[in-house]
Amino acid sequence: MTQNNLEQAITGAHQRLENLLQRASKPENHSNKQDSSVELLQEAIAEISISLEELHALTEELQEQNEELISTRELVEAERQRYQDLFNFAPDAYLVTNDTGIIQEANYAATQLLNVRQSYLIGKPLAVFIYQPERQKFRQMLQRLRQQGQIRGQELWMYHKDGNIDFPAEVTAVITEADSEGTNSLRWLLRDISDRYRTEQKIREQAALLDITADAIFVRDLHNQILFWNKGAENVYGWRAEEVLGKNAEQLLVRVTKETSPQLAAALKTVIEHGSWQGELCKVNKYDETIVIASRWTLMRDPAGIPKSILTVDTDITEKKQLETQLFRNQRLESLGTLASGIAHDLNNILTPMMTVAQLLPQKHLQIDENSQQMLKLLEINARRGADLVRQILSFTRNCEGKRTIVPISQLIEDVEQIIKCTFPKCIDINTTIPTDLGVVLGDSTQLHQVLMNLALNARDAMPNGGRLHISASKLFLDENYTKKHIEVKVGRYIVITVTDTGVGISPAIIDKIFDPFFTTKEVGKGTGLGLSIVIGISNNHGGFVEVSSEIEVGSKFKVYLPSSEGSIAPVVHKTQLPVGQGELILVVDDEAAITQITKTTLEIHNYRVLTAQNGIESLALYTQHKDEIKLVLMDMMMPSMAGGTAIRTLQIINPQVQIIAMSGLASAEALAQAIGNGIHGFLTKPFTANELLNSVQQILIPSAEC
């Protein structure tokens, strides 16, 4: 029963008793007076009984209500205590402030977080625990909280009591409804996010490292969809991250062929089975350029250990592979050059007597018949052809250089054009493009002529059914960026000669082998395989290099780069008459008996006296005996027992004024002078003719006689 029901019951009882009193006070007849009193008394007793019963019932109801109230109060207290325990021992810091930010309540976690007692917190402004530069941000948060009713996920740097910056906090706050006094309260949740902040900082640092690395790093799922793409990948492949995310990596980066498809399938199988794979792949960039990649794949798994993605780290090794190819090519040339040098030495020793005899016999036997003269002429011509072949073999080494003069490239191209237009099939259209101010190079005109002829002949053979042959030239400056990609190329100005044909083209499978000596795709008897090796050898000897590009059924393009030069060199004047001596004594030293014999014969026919020696030791003995008479020494550089260089230095010790002409089929005069010193007065390259021998001897002896 409620308080209202109790009041209504009491009021009703009073009303009934008041009615009885009013009836009892009214005047009545005497005869009925006694009966009326009795009736009123009975009604009063009944009314009192009813009221007592009602009161008893009301008392029982009140008792029950009191017991319920006590039970409810206990439940409320228990709930309040549970709330207080949750509030105090929650893992996050909870604070209650008034509308201005003054702390009214704080839980245990808040005291631990701020490193203060609870009593210290109460009544303090929350702002005193905010890092000074961030207090303006805190005031803005308060303003937004009052306007919006809540804020979530904001970050603030907090102070400890001692004033040190200690931790970053994630702040969440709500505003409660006004109390009976009309005051709002603010409830704050502060969560220490130091660990998360350090983790995020570490992730940012790692992300920065991923972006600054030169390697391409990307992640793709098991369906090849790209999930992550770093800055290095942008640099290597040219695609920006927003252009590739979600795209198929295989379709974007790999040109699928019969060779690449099995390789990719095997790599994927390996990474799935073993967790990693590494190897080299040919890929394409945004500009459809093929690049060589050193690729490392790592299988990534989810927390349950199930494969979810593949982390790929790609390194662009295109330049490295190009440099390796150039290095291997140079090493092959050097090895073959060593072999060729030995062969050339022997061949030159064989050819020298043949050439000299072919010249001397007509002079010694004046009555020789015409048929014999033609045979001797044929012998001389073929000996010269053999000598030219030897020089071609040596052209791809660094040991054979001709006489260097100023060579106008425009004139060189015009000469070659004139020859090939007269000799090539008419079905080949030949034309040239030559700038008027092309310039000159310092080199051997015969060798450079050979370079162009070899390239032109190859172009002709590549167009058996006709086509177009174009020779052009241009000037070009090569900077440091270009030279980094090419071994032994120097920064400077170059003249570039380009020979282009529309022939059958060169297969990618053999294009790296075409400069190897004796490599040829022509039928037996139709090519020696020396043409392109001679081209690259001569180009290298002139400080240049060669580039080639080709496409099957489209044609080939060869570019010869030669260092541009300025200045001039005086032309060499060749004497037309064979000079004769005045009886001077000459010492000829060579381990080849045929050479010493024919050299002695040639000199004696032309009025010289000759001593011969077969090696360096024998030459020293002869020179010691006749040093006052010997005017000149002809010394071969490669002999057994004592090499020519050692013998020359010993002769110079015996007589510092000794005059020497060195003979060799391998080295140039400049190279010998640098190796032995300035004691050499002349040089004869084997095989040499009688004319070259006699002119060289005269050039040394005549100035000496005049002195």
Side-chain angles (χ1 to χ4, degrees):
M1 180 175 288
T2 63
Q3 181 68 27
N4 188 40
N5 292 338
L6 179 60
E7 291 177 354
Q8 287 179 357
I10 294 173
T11 302
H14 279 290
Q15 185 66 40
R16 288 192 296 273
L17 291 174
E18 184 66 30
N19 290 337
L20 288 174
L21 288 174
Q22 289 180 358
R23 288 172 57 192
S25 62
K26 289 181 178 181
E28 296 182 356
N29 294 328
H30 180 74
S31 59
N32 296 330
K33 182 176 183 183
Q34 186 175 359
D35 294 335
S36 176
S37 296
V38 173
E39 185 180 350
L40 287 173
L41 179 59
Q42 289 175 345
E43 289 180 10
I45 291 171
E47 187 64 38
I48 292 171
S49 297
I50 293 171
S51 297
L52 288 174
E53 288 177 3
E54 289 179 351
L55 287 174
H56 181 70
L58 291 170
T59 300
E60 289 179 352
E61 288 186 19
L62 288 174
Q63 182 64 30
E64 290 177 1
Q65 289 180 357
N66 286 337
E67 290 176 357
E68 289 178 1
L69 287 173
I70 291 171
S71 177
T72 301
R73 186 180 298 112
E74 290 175 352
L75 289 174
V76 170
E77 180 61 25
E79 290 295 329
R80 190 196 65 80
Q81 188 60 44
R82 280 196 292 271
Y83 163 76
Q84 192 65 36
D85 290 342
L86 289 173
F87 179 74
N88 282 326
F89 297 104
D92 295 320
Y94 286 100
L95 297 168
V96 178
T97 70
N98 61 15
D99 190 61
T100 61
I102 303 300
I103 299 174
Q104 296 173 334
E105 293 183 57
N107 70 344
Y108 178 75
T111 63
Q112 293 295 107
L113 192 63
L114 300 175
N115 197 27
V116 294
R117 298 186 309 275
Q118 189 173 25
S119 59
Y120 180 85
L121 280 174
I122 306 304
K124 295 289 191 300
L126 180 57
V128 300
F129 297 99
I130 308 298
Y131 178 43
Q132 180 68 37
E134 297 221 317
R135 288 183 181 173
Q136 178 62 30
K137 180 179 178 181
F138 175 69
R139 287 190 286 270
Q140 293 173 353
M141 290 170 59
L142 271 177
Q143 182 66 25
R144 191 162 63 253
L145 179 58
R146 296 188 188 104
Q147 293 173 353
Q148 301 176 0
Q150 66 176 4
I151 55 172
R152 295 184 180 276
Q154 300 296 310
E155 290 186 11
L156 284 174
W157 280 90
M158 307 294 293
Y159 268 136
H160 263 180
K161 180 184 176 182
D162 56 9
N164 294 325
I165 302 173
D166 192 69
F167 64 92
E170 183 183 69
V171 180
T172 299
V174 295
I175 189 169
T176 62
E177 295 181 0
D179 57 17
S180 58
E181 298 179 358
T183 303
N184 293 328
S185 62
L186 310 178
R187 298 183 181 274
W188 304 82
L189 184 148
L190 305 179
R191 180 171 295 160
D192 186 353
I193 56 171
S194 299
D195 291 341
R196 188 179 80 185
Y197 188 83
R198 283 191 290 269
T199 301
E200 290 176 350
Q201 181 65 22
K202 187 175 182 179
I203 291 173
R204 283 192 292 269
E205 291 172 355
Q206 291 173 343
L209 288 175
L210 290 177
D211 279 340
I212 65 175
T213 181
D215 290 336
I217 301 176
F218 61 94
V219 178
R220 53 197 168 101
D221 63 21
L222 299 184
H223 300 290
N224 269 326
Q225 303 301 308
I226 297 174
L227 307 176
F228 172 78
W229 189 263
N230 78 331
K231 292 289 185 183
E234 292 184 1
N235 296 332
V236 170
Y237 292 107
W239 298 98
R240 297 192 306 275
E242 57 268 23
E243 295 176 306
V244 300
L245 292 179
K247 300 287 184 63
N248 187 292
E250 186 172 298
Q251 295 176 357
L252 193 70
L253 306 177
V254 179
R255 185 179 284 118
V256 179
T257 63
K258 293 181 180 180
E259 292 78 15
T260 60
S261 185
Q263 185 183 17
L264 291 172
L268 184 60
K269 180 181 179 182
T270 300
V271 79
I272 294 296
E273 293 178 353
H274 302 286
S276 64
W277 174 87
Q278 63 179 5
E280 292 184 6
L281 296 172
C282 285
K283 295 189 176 183
V284 292
N285 59 18
K286 181 178 181 179
Y287 313 104
D288 202 36
E289 299 170 339
T290 300
I291 55 178
V292 184
I293 296 295
S295 191
R296 284 89 70 199
W297 298 5
T298 302
L299 185 66
M300 309 299 291
R301 301 177 183 271
D302 64 15
I306 300 174
K308 65 173 185 176
S309 60
I310 297 174
L311 170 66
T312 301
V313 180
D314 285 351
T315 304
D316 186 354
I317 58 171
T318 306
E319 291 184 9
K320 177 184 175 183
K321 299 298 286 187
Q322 291 173 346
L323 294 177
E324 285 179 354
T325 300
Q326 288 178 313
L327 179 61
F328 293 153
R329 181 183 296 156
N330 289 343
Q331 289 174 341
R332 289 196 298 268
L333 291 178
E334 289 175 3
S335 299
L336 289 170
T338 302
L339 175 63
S341 296
I343 297 173
H345 175 265
D346 294 338
L347 287 175
N348 284 331
N349 284 335
I350 295 170
L351 292 172
T352 298
M354 295 172 60
M355 292 176 62
T356 308
V357 166
Q359 282 188 321
L360 287 181
L361 282 177
Q363 298 179 23
K364 190 172 182 180
H365 302 283
L366 299 177
Q367 304 302 321
I368 192 169
D369 60 80
E370 185 177 351
N371 187 42
S372 297
Q373 288 182 358
Q374 290 179 352
M375 293 177 64
L376 289 173
K377 189 65 175 177
L378 181 62
L379 175 64
E380 181 183 356
I381 291 172
N382 281 277
R384 288 184 180 275
R385 289 183 63 186
D388 290 339
L389 180 60
V390 171
R391 277 193 288 270
Q392 287 184 6
I393 294 174
L394 289 177
S395 293
F396 59 84
T397 72
R398 293 183 175 275
N399 298 326
C400 183
E401 299 175 1
K403 186 73 173 178
R404 295 295 175 93
T405 59
I406 290 296
V407 180
I409 295 299
S410 57
Q411 184 62 49
L412 183 70
I413 295 175
E414 289 174 358
D415 292 344
V416 170
E417 180 187 20
Q418 196 171 33
I419 293 172
I420 62 180
K421 279 187 174 180
C422 294
T423 57
F424 280 17
K426 300 301 180 182
C427 61
I428 297 178
D429 179 24
I430 302 169
N431 57 77
T432 61
T433 303
I434 309 172
T436 55
D437 59 343
L438 186 58
V440 298
V441 300
L442 179 63
D444 185 323
S445 61
T446 301
Q447 290 184 353
L448 294 179
H449 184 276
Q450 187 178 6
V451 167
L452 283 184
M453 282 301 302
N454 283 351
L455 293 177
L457 289 170
N458 280 351
R460 179 203 63 186
D461 295 341
M463 299 183 289
N465 299 320
R468 182 171 179 268
L469 172 61
H470 182 243
I471 303 176
S472 62
S474 61
K475 295 190 293 186
L476 182 67
F477 180 81
L478 299 182
D479 57 16
E480 293 182 355
N481 292 330
Y482 186 91
T483 58
K484 289 177 181 177
K485 302 178 182 179
H486 297 79
I487 296 176
E488 298 177 355
V489 176
K490 298 180 180 179
V491 174
R493 301 185 183 279
Y494 287 76
I495 294 177
V496 185
I497 305 172
T498 304
V499 179
T500 306
D501 67 66
T502 57
V504 296
I506 304 170
S507 169
I510 66 169
I511 197 166
D512 289 334
K513 302 177 183 178
I514 61 174
F515 292 105
D516 292 350
F518 309 110
F519 177 83
T520 180
T521 58
K522 299 176 182 178
E523 297 177 8
V524 177
K526 292 188 176 182
T528 63
L530 289 175
L532 289 179
S533 64
I534 290 172
V535 167
I536 198 170
I538 293 175
S539 301
N540 291 343
N541 286 343
H542 283 74
F545 58 97
V546 181
E547 287 183 346
V548 59
S549 59
S550 184
E551 189 173 347
I552 296 295
E553 302 302 332
V554 175
S556 303
K557 178 184 292 186
F558 287 83
K559 289 186 174 183
V560 180
Y561 292 75
L562 299 171
S564 179
S565 180
E566 296 180 359
S568 61
I569 296 178
V572 177
V573 178
H574 298 282
K575 296 185 177 181
T576 55
Q577 297 182 352
L578 293 180
V580 294
Q582 298 178 4
E584 296 95 334
L585 182 62
I586 299 175
L587 174 60
V588 178
V589 187
D590 199 301
D591 60 316
E592 292 286 339
I595 292 179
T596 55
Q597 182 60 46
I598 194 62
T599 303
K600 177 180 179 182
T601 301
T602 303
L603 292 173
E604 287 178 343
I605 290 175
H606 293 83
N607 200 27
Y608 293 102
R609 293 181 297 137
V610 180
L611 295 173
T612 61
Q614 300 297 313
N615 56 60
I617 296 175
E618 186 178 340
S619 71
L620 295 178
L622 285 173
Y623 188 82
T624 302
Q625 296 176 17
H626 305 279
K627 66 178 181 179
D628 294 334
E629 297 180 73
I630 294 176
K631 302 299 182 183
L632 180 64
V633 178
L634 273 67
M635 180 74 69
D636 184 34
M637 298 307 300
M638 296 182 65
M639 295 181 297
S641 299
M642 180 181 289
T646 303
I648 289 174
R649 286 189 290 270
T650 305
L651 288 174
Q652 290 171 340
I653 294 173
I654 296 172
N655 179 14
Q657 283 75 42
V658 63
Q659 298 188 101
I660 300 170
I661 294 178
M663 300 183 296
S664 176
L666 299 179
S668 67
E670 291 81 4
L672 285 171
Q674 184 177 3
I676 301 173
N678 295 325
I680 295 178
H681 297 77
F683 181 80
L684 274 174
T685 302
K686 295 180 181 179
F688 52 79
T689 64
N691 293 3
E692 293 169 342
L693 170 65
L694 296 171
N695 285 324
S696 296
V697 169
Q698 187 187 50
Q699 288 175 4
I700 303 301
L701 292 180
I702 289 180
S704 176
E706 292 176 352
C707 293

